[in-house]
Structures are given as structure tokens and as C-alpha cells.
Amino acid sequence: MKAMILAAGKGTRVRPLTYDLPKPMIPILGKPVMAYLVEYLASYGVREIMVNVSHLHHKIEEFFGDGSQYGVQIGYSFEGYVNDFGEVTAEPLGSAGGIKKIQQFGQFFDDTVIVICGDALIDLDLSSALFEHKQKGALASVITKEVPWDKVDNYGVVVMDQEGRVQSFQEKPKQDEALSNFASTGIYIFEPEVIDLIPADTVFDIGSELFPLMAKKGLPFYAQQRFFNWTDIGSVTDFWSVLQNVMQGQVAQLEMPGRQIAEGVWAGLNTSIDWEGTTIEGPVYIGSGCRIDAGCKIVGPTWIGHGSHICSDTQVVRSVLFEYTRILGGARLDEAIVFKQYSVNRAGDMRRLPEAGVPDWGDARDRLPEPAIEVS
């Protein structure tokens, strides 16, 4: 079996994180979400993985390389072009179009393929899913999970009969128009014949175009209802919620990095904490090279990225600070994400440093000292 990780999207709903990171590189406990997926596939013996890339593609390619550090082979398919000024322009082909481009180029998909979106944590029993796929003689299988009815407009919804055969597919329907509350998880099992249905050199989507086409043709297309953990990062507020859940131990097999230095408090290497007047209520992770001044209050779940500085008399509550963040003295940060020059609260309201008035945060990296004035 081979695998395809879909990683070409721009991740507009996860801005500002995706201004500087492709969505699959968003970190969970300090590790890109796509790294968990590669490790997951490797654990089931998948050794050949193709990844379609576009937005900030070099960051994915430079991190994962040829995949040898994971015991797999990884190949890349770039979607976009270089303009007349030598500038690289990202132009995704859609989830299905990206697969078709790879197949046209080198006929890579010559066996059953597992297709996974590159922005979710999963622990699906892949062996059981593959067995059901083969047993039913499916050309395509979509893995589904039941979601609350008031959340159906966030997902592609699958309508199936009692045997699991897909009858129709609705892409993010309104609640009063939804015919099902079984959501596609972005995990698919395809036979190579499915790829023949995708038009060449065309932007084409799996959920909104390929699946309705298969259902209309009456092909052996099945949905599987499975019980497993599926944590996707659909929006920036989802990212906040995911990290809160992970740090509280609600996602299996994910452990806090660093070493535990106090009840509910973990730290990386060479971190300096002035405990005078400081209280830290876990779970809290403090990255390597961080400095926590006296008189701070930190309430978890909170993640503080490496190289950060929490100044005196500061309160940080249930927040996520990316690396090299300085929270200025007297600031109060509550349920927020701070990423470089951006701050986003739990509701998704974003502020940018030049527009923030008197800012609560800044860059923790040291500035070049002023040159000494020579006195003659």
C-alpha cells in the first residue's frame, strides 16, 4: 500500500499561523502535525508517501527531506509556477487534481492508496479499515465520524445506505439541509481506477466533485463508520482547542516534552524561572531557553515556546505562545495565541503589532546593543 498526504492548501482559516507556516507544519507539542501522520503511516508498514505541496512548500520539503529519518520514502509534487519575475506562485490543483498530476507524471499509484489530509491527528486502525475496503470490493472508501448536527456545516457530509454504500455527498451543508451527520474525516482509501475518473490539468476537489461523481455513477463507493480519535485543525480557534485538549491528556499517546520540574509543569533545557512571587498552575510547558521573571502568574493549559520571556507582574492564562515571544510587564493574556507579530484570542479576533496600540507582546530575541560613545 502507498500513501498520499494532502498538503497543498493555503490554510486561510488558520491565519495568521499560515502566513508563515504551511498548515501541515503547525506544531502540536512542538512537532509538526504532518510528522505525526508520517509516523502513523510508517507504523502500519507504509514506506512510499507522496505529498502535494504549494503554499510555502520549501518549509515542508526542508523539514521532511526524503523521509529517511522516519524509515520511509517521501516524494513531492509542487503545484504552482514561476512568473516572469522569477517569483514562485502557489496555485493548488484541488485535493483530487493534485493526485491526478502525480499519476500523470509517473503512474505512482499502481496499488491501493491511503489518502490523508495533512492537518489532523488520527489513531485509526488502518488494518481494519483496509480489510473492510477489500471485503466490500470498494473502489473507494471514505472514513466517517458522527458529528453533532449543529456542526455539520463545517464538514463534508456522507449519506449512505444500511450497507454503507454512499448515495450522495454534501459539502458543508447548512444544518436544515443536511441529510446526514456523518462527516468525512479526510481519510480515504482509493484503488487506482478512482484516479482515472479525475480530469487532467483541472482544479478538482475530492469532496465536492469526485465523490458526487462516483455516487452518481453508482460505483462501489463505501463509507466506513469507525470509532477512533480524529483531531483536525480547521481554524485558528480549533488549534487553540486542540492544544488545550492535548495538554490535558485527552489525546492518547501524546506526551509532554521536556522534564517535569513541578506539579503539572514541564520545561525544556536551560530555562530560568524566578519563583519569587511566581505561581504556575499546570499543565504548563515552558520551552528551552525561556526566562520567567518574578511575580508572574501562569495558568494552564499553556504552552510557552522556546526562547520566550515572560516579564515581571505578567499573567498568562490558557494561552499558546510561539517561540521567541516576549510578554511585557503588567500584561494580561487570556486564552490567546501569540505568533510573531500577531495575537489572536479564543474568538478568532486578530491583532497585529503595528495596529495594536500599546502592545502586550514583542520579540524576545536580544537587540544589537547601542555602540559605546567615545569620550575624548
Side-chain angles (χ1 to χ4, degrees), residues 371-376:
I373 300 174
E374 295 184 10
V375 179
S376 58

Side-chain angles (χ1 to χ4, degrees), residues 213-269:
L213 176 64
M214 293 190 68
K216 183 178 180 180
K217 287 179 173 289
L219 297 173
F221 173 27
Y222 289 87
Q224 296 187 17
Q225 301 176 37
R226 296 208 161 265
F227 299 97
F228 67 104
N229 291 311
W230 168 55
T231 307
D232 71 318
I233 305 171
S235 66
V236 69
T237 50
D238 286 344
F239 171 70
W240 181 89
S241 298
V242 166
L243 201 52
Q244 296 287 301
N245 293 339
V246 167
M247 293 188 70
Q248 293 180 91
Q250 296 176 11
V251 179
Q253 300 177 340
L254 293 184
E255 298 181 355
M256 292 281 253
R259 65 184 180 91
Q260 190 164 2
I261 60 172
E263 181 68 28
V265 182
W266 288 261
L269 298 175

Side-chain angles (χ1 to χ4, degrees), residues 180-203:
S180 164
N181 67 327
F182 282 91
S184 167
T185 61
I187 307 171
Y188 319 117
I189 304 173
F190 288 167
E191 297 302 318
E193 293 86 345
V194 172
I195 303 171
D196 295 337
L197 299 169
I198 303 170
D201 305 316
T202 302
V203 176

Side-chain angles (χ1 to χ4, degrees), residues 63-116:
F63 185 91
F64 290 96
D66 63 2
S68 56
Q69 70 270 40
Y70 297 96
V72 301
Q73 288 181 282
I74 297 178
Y76 305 94
S77 174
F78 172 70
E79 297 174 15
Y81 60 91
V82 178
N83 65 22
D84 294 338
F85 302 99
E87 300 166 334
V88 177
T89 301
E91 193 170 86
L93 293 170
S95 50
I99 297 173
K100 185 69 173 185
K101 179 183 178 183
I102 292 169
Q103 189 73 333
Q104 281 184 288
F105 186 84
Q107 297 295 308
F108 174 77
F109 302 113
D110 56 1
D111 195 0
T112 304
V113 58
I114 173 78
V115 180
I116 304 179

Side-chain angles (χ1 to χ4, degrees), residues 132-243:
E132 182 177 334
H133 172 82
K134 295 291 188 181
Q135 185 184 50
K136 289 184 174 180
L139 277 183
S141 296
V142 53
I143 311 301
T144 67
K145 285 209 65 168
E146 194 170 11
V147 298
W149 281 98
D150 62 350
K151 302 292 185 182
V152 293
D153 58 350
N154 293 323
Y155 303 101
V157 172
V158 182
V159 182
M160 68 196 90
D161 62 21
Q162 292 184 343
E163 295 180 352
R165 191 156 185 151
V166 176
Q167 297 176 317
S168 62
F169 193 91
Q170 295 176 288
E171 184 66 14
K172 298 180 180 178
K174 295 179 181 178
Q175 183 179 342
D176 59 353
E177 297 176 356
L179 301 176
S180 164
N181 67 327
F182 282 91
S184 167
T185 61
I187 307 171
Y188 319 117
I189 304 173
F190 288 167
E191 297 302 318
E193 293 86 345
V194 172
I195 303 171
D196 295 337
L197 299 169
I198 303 170
D201 305 316
T202 302
V203 176
F204 207 71
D205 184 67
I206 291 175
S208 62
E209 293 175 289
L210 178 61
F211 282 171
L213 176 64
M214 293 190 68
K216 183 178 180 180
K217 287 179 173 289
L219 297 173
F221 173 27
Y222 289 87
Q224 296 187 17
Q225 301 176 37
R226 296 208 161 265
F227 299 97
F228 67 104
N229 291 311
W230 168 55
T231 307
D232 71 318
I233 305 171
S235 66
V236 69
T237 50
D238 286 344
F239 171 70
W240 181 89
S241 298
V242 166
L243 201 52

